[in-house]
Amino acid sequence: MGHTIIGTAGHIDHGKTLLVKALTGTDTDRAPEEKARGITIELGFAFLGEEATIIDVPGHERFVKTMVAGVSTIDVALLVIAADDGVMPQSREHLDVLELLGVERGIVVLNKADLVDEDWLDLVEEEVRELVAGTFLEGADIARVSALAGDGVEALKSQIEALVVQTEERRGVGPFRLPVDRAFVVKGFGLVGTGTVIAGRLEGREDVEVLPAGERLRVRGLQRHGQEVEAVQAGDRAAVNLPGVSTEQVERGDWLAAPDYFKPTYMVDARLRLLFSCPRELVQRTRVRLHIGTREAMARVVLLEGEALEPGGEMLVQLHMETPVVAVWGDRFVIRRYSPALTIGGGRVLEPHPRKHRRGDRQAVAYLEELDGTDAEAAVEVKLRYLGETLKADRELAGELGLDLERITSLLEQLAEDGKVALIRVDQALCAVHTETEAVLGKRVEAALEQFHAENPLKTGLRREELRALSLRHAAPALFDHLLQTLERQGRLGVDGAMMYLAGHRIQFSAAEEEQRDKIEMALKQAELADMPGVDELARLAGVGQREVESILRALQTLGAVVPLEGGLWLHAETLAAVQDKLRGYLAAEGQITVAAFRDLIQGNRKYALALLTYFDSSGVTQRQGDVRVLLT
Ligand code: GDP
Ligand code: MG
């Protein structure tokens, strides 16, 4: 059995706070202003036995946002309705909020039974049954109570206990996170942030990250249920002591979370349900109040499947926030009309870090539909399938889906084993590319090469970065490398030094180019080293421009027929081989050679002698020692 969080709900003055006092002995309206005005402004907390905490929320319509923050994490709802007043606006609105946030269990409390007679109570109960029909409270217990006189309170306690016993230990999966519902400074102690742990576990000595600020903070102590503890975990009401931190650094709406998993976001994709009670249809880009966790943020609703959403309808949407929030797949939220504030709908986050979608983006809709119809573990494959040129680290997946890092790792390994993804290591992180994506992207690389070869028949291929720019400009470098390796392994891509080409690609000369090539090759082969033709001379001989000569020379270089020297000089490979033989012979006999001696040896000029020696130095044949060269190999 896990710790149970119980939340009150209901219209102002219907007796929520007095009921909490009758149940627990604790008056949650402690603040002077609350005492003076006789209303609840802040969230109040009281313990019910060892196993449960009651969060008392304000009922005034101005404080519905506080109410949403209070009940965003509850297990059991107590919907309080005063028998003399009956169902009132915030009875409805609070019920809507509970329903939208996915609360599943609760009790309706008909309070102030002392003020009315039995017949009246029967009538109000009838009204309540209509109110809750079709909601999670349909068929729930309806307790007749007087919080003031104490009638029915003991019976209600037993009914609550019956629900508390049903609270299952939360599995606690995922990195630790706690949406802060109160933050205050205790003199000489530092800041204390309280909230319900949504997921994971925090040990007393670990750091936490405050979000969306992203600051890392040291934890000094933890309390659970008012007691010092070593660790807190999912489902616990926790107080986290953060020494040296001010109330500007941590406030209601922030998260305290395991570091480096969650990133703030200005956009989320979600499924949105509009309440039947929403006064009118929701149109594109309507500005609303978004309540998520304990945070309120202004947002615009981009409808992805139409131009308007009718009351009672559902649609996939993208929310554009004005201030950053943090969210995880599956997180519930509520939206309220901007002015006058009224709860109009809510839903579930599907993608906390989406791309910006255009209206009617079919692919985005297909993606979100798949994410919506699955669980967090199966969502891993869905996410990977739609990633495109991006790589996502295991840690990011863990944060976005609310799953433990180890779980993500083993899911990725399993997917790899099943042939659904290929794993890619990037530094410490494990990433994966879906095989469907791999195939699509691989084809794009091939298509880029094919086009390049068609346009440049004399070139071997492309350098890695050139190819990336032409095919997958936005691809993560590690993903691009992986794709090249895969294509090479599959025999679809050839690599020659820094050059990539399509397997089977050969340099192709046109008939005219063949003629020019032969002239160029012949001229280089026959010339004396003292009178070697330059590119300009070759152009004249072949009857084409220098650029054409350059590309033919490059092609010949690739084919091994010619060799470039520094300074834009070209030699035929056979000439070079002959020179090298001569040089080796000389050095074998003499041990060393000067530039002048080398020039005489080859009967060339100083320009070619220098360029050749530089070439032999850099290709490891010779080594320069002062004014002379010696044989290196
Ligand atoms: P909340 O706004 O829902 O928290 O309501 P409170 O608990 O502050 O109660 C509002 C007023 O109703 C207070 O004056 C309470 O004393 C009174 N009240 C609450 N419960 C009962 C009840 O069962 N019977 C009667 N007669 N008065 C009640
Ligand atoms: Mg109250």
Side-chain angles (χ1 to χ4, degrees):
M1 189 177 76
H3 192 80
T4 309
I5 313 289
I6 302 165
T8 62
H11 201 72
I12 185 164
D13 268 349
H14 280 200
K16 297 180 290 299
T17 301
L18 194 63
L19 180 69
V20 172
K21 192 171 177 198
L23 287 167
T24 66
T26 306
D27 181 2
T28 55
D29 279 354
R30 303 136 310 168
E33 199 193 348
E34 292 179 320
K35 283 263 168 289
R37 291 170 65 185
I39 67 165
T40 307
I41 296 169
E42 261 307 322
L43 298 172
F45 298 90
F47 301 133
L48 184 68
E50 283 294 305
E51 299 86 25
T53 301
I54 304 186
I55 305 182
D56 184 32
V57 306
H60 194 286
E61 48 100 1
R62 272 183 46 221
F63 302 122
V64 173
K65 68 172 187 184
T66 312
M67 181 270 174
V68 181
V71 299
S72 64
T73 54
I74 66 171
D75 305 296
V76 171
L78 294 182
L79 180 61
V80 179
I81 293 170
D84 58 336
D85 234 5
V87 172
M88 293 295 281
Q90 269 67 55
S91 318
R92 290 182 194 284
E93 188 169 16
H94 284 193
L95 177 60
D96 285 339
V97 168
L98 296 170
E99 180 80 0
L100 291 167
L101 290 175
V103 177
E104 286 174 353
R105 290 175 297 151
I107 297 171
V108 181
V109 181
L110 276 190
N111 190 33
K112 306 199 185 182
D114 56 293
L115 294 181
V116 297
D117 60 25
E118 286 281 321
D119 288 348
W120 185 261
L121 275 174
D122 290 343
L123 281 176
V124 180
E125 185 163 327
E126 204 44 50
E127 195 190 358
V128 167
R129 282 193 200 287
E130 271 170 38
L131 173 71
V132 302
T135 74
F136 75 102
L137 284 177
E138 177 167 329
D141 287 340
I142 299 181
R144 299 180 174 195
V145 166
S146 169
L148 189 67
D151 301 334
V153 170
E154 282 309 310
L156 173 61
K157 241 190 228 181
S158 328
Q159 285 169 317
I160 295 174
E161 263 152 31
L163 289 184
V164 166
V165 173
Q166 291 170 22
T167 304
E168 284 168 23
E169 196 76 54
R170 293 199 201 183
R171 283 189 304 145
V173 290
F176 172 79
R177 57 184 176 124
L178 172 156
V180 175
D181 50 33
R182 279 190 309 170
F184 48 90
V185 168
V186 179
K187 269 221 164 68
F189 202 60
L191 185 122
V192 176
T194 72
T196 304
V197 182
I198 299 194
R201 183 182 163 84
L202 177 70
E203 306 269 343
R205 293 282 156 227
E206 286 170 328
D207 287 353
V208 288
E209 188 172 74
V210 58
L211 290 158
E215 219 179 329
R216 207 174 165 128
L217 303 174
R218 190 168 63 82
V219 173
R220 185 159 61 189
L222 294 172
Q223 283 194 356
R224 172 188 183 273
H225 216 123
Q227 306 287 316
E228 295 280 335
V229 286
E230 292 295 311
V232 290
Q233 61 188 27
D236 285 348
R237 277 295 309 171
V240 182
N241 179 209
L242 304 162
V245 172
S246 74
T247 45
E248 274 138 45
Q249 284 167 281
V250 178
E251 57 179 21
R252 170 185 299 151
D254 288 343
W255 278 18
L256 298 179
D260 305 326
Y261 281 100
F262 306 104
K263 283 184 294 185
T265 178
Y266 282 91
M267 284 192 286
V268 296
D269 289 346
R271 180 172 284 286
L272 174 71
R273 180 154 69 87
L274 204 60
L275 291 169
F276 277 107
S277 57
C278 181
R280 65 171 80 94
E281 61 172 22
L282 196 73
V283 295
Q284 281 293 4
R285 302 195 58 79
T286 301
R287 193 159 181 252
V288 298
R289 299 168 190 275
L290 169 70
H291 296 266
I292 184 158
T294 52
R295 172 71 73 204
E296 179 188 19
M298 297 305 303
R300 288 193 187 273
V301 183
V302 175
L303 302 168
L304 296 176
E305 298 176 284
E307 290 305 307
L309 178 57
E310 300 294 328
E314 282 194 4
M315 198 180 274
L316 293 168
V317 299
Q318 184 161 71
L319 301 173
H320 292 187
M321 280 74 78
E322 292 172 17
T323 50
V325 305
V326 263
V328 164
W329 178 87
D331 280 358
R332 300 277 188 156
F333 64 88
V334 163
I335 61 168
R336 304 186 74 222
R337 196 170 60 183
Y338 175 57
S339 179
L342 171 75
T343 302
I344 56 171
R348 240 162 52 100
V349 171
L350 297 172
E351 172 56 76
H353 293 286
R355 280 184 283 251
K356 195 167 183 168
H357 304 314
R358 263 163 299 182
R359 294 172 193 180
D361 182 336
R362 290 256 189 86
Q363 212 202 1
V365 168
Y367 170 53
L368 296 175
E369 264 167 4
E370 281 199 59
L371 272 186
D372 195 22
T374 187
D375 60 29
E377 299 205 339
V380 171
E381 195 212 327
V382 178
K383 284 182 86 93
L384 292 174
R385 191 143 35 80
Y386 283 86
L387 266 184
E389 297 178 38
T390 333
L391 276 184
K392 203 150 254 187
D394 43 3
R395 245 187 133 79
E396 285 176 88
L397 286 170
E400 289 174 11
L401 292 168
L403 293 171
D404 291 315
L405 189 58
E406 300 74 50
R407 187 70 196 128
I408 292 287
T409 311
S410 65
L411 286 168
L412 290 179
E413 279 162 359
Q414 186 57 50
L415 285 170
E417 215 166 279
D418 297 345
K420 297 234 167 103
V421 307
L423 301 178
I424 302 175
R425 277 227 164 260
V426 184
D427 302 325
Q428 299 301 317
L430 185 66
C431 302
V433 54
H434 200 281
T435 41
E436 287 176 22
T437 311
E438 198 178 32
V440 171
L441 299 183
K443 287 220 175 73
R444 265 164 63 188
V445 173
E446 284 182 305
L449 277 172
E450 203 171 304
Q451 189 181 350
F452 180 82
H453 287 324
E455 288 168 5
N456 303 277
L458 293 189
K459 291 202 173 148
T460 328
L462 280 162
R463 282 175 205 285
R464 178 177 297 254
E465 278 314 303
E466 294 166 336
L467 179 55
R468 192 154 90 97
L470 285 179
S471 56
L472 301 172
R473 213 147 41 88
H474 303 291
L479 174 59
F480 186 65
D481 287 350
H482 167 85
L483 290 169
L484 293 186
Q485 282 162 19
T486 307
L487 289 171
E488 195 185 350
R489 203 178 52 240
Q490 293 169 343
R492 292 152 70 187
L493 179 100
V495 179
D496 182 359
M499 290 298 184
M500 320 272 145
Y501 54 90
L502 270 190
H505 168 73
R506 295 283 171 274
I507 287 176
Q508 277 175 12
F509 297 94
S510 66
E513 283 165 346
E514 267 178 23
E515 220 170 278
Q516 294 149 14
R517 175 198 64 190
D518 293 345
K519 284 184 184 154
I520 290 167
E521 227 186 313
M522 194 59 69
L524 284 175
K525 212 190 301 197
Q526 291 176 345
E528 299 291 328
L529 266 167
D531 188 24
M532 195 55 72
V535 172
D536 47 352
E537 173 72 2
L538 291 172
R540 207 180 50 73
L541 286 172
V544 289
Q546 295 196 19
R547 282 185 54 157
E548 286 76 11
V549 170
E550 296 269 8
S551 54
I552 289 173
L553 283 168
R554 293 273 166 217
L556 285 170
Q557 177 195 352
T558 306
L559 298 170
V562 301
V563 180
L565 302 180
E566 65 168 7
L569 308 180
W570 290 87
L571 273 194
H572 198 276
E574 288 174 14
T575 313
L576 184 79
V579 169
Q580 186 170 324
D581 282 348
K582 264 191 198 167
L583 176 63
R584 280 184 183 281
Y586 184 97
L587 286 174
E590 306 293 329
Q592 59 180 52
I593 193 166
T594 63
V595 176
F598 179 62
R599 184 197 57 206
D600 296 344
L601 179 72
I602 62 174
Q603 293 170 326
N605 56 25
R606 189 173 161 79
K607 188 167 72 172
Y608 273 84
L610 276 173
L612 275 163
L613 285 175
T614 306
Y615 174 85
F616 291 130
D617 286 347
S618 63
S619 54
V621 176
T622 53
Q623 189 183 39
R624 184 172 174 173
Q625 290 181 354
D627 289 340
V628 300
R629 256 83 180 178
V630 297
L631 208 54
L632 191 65
T633 51

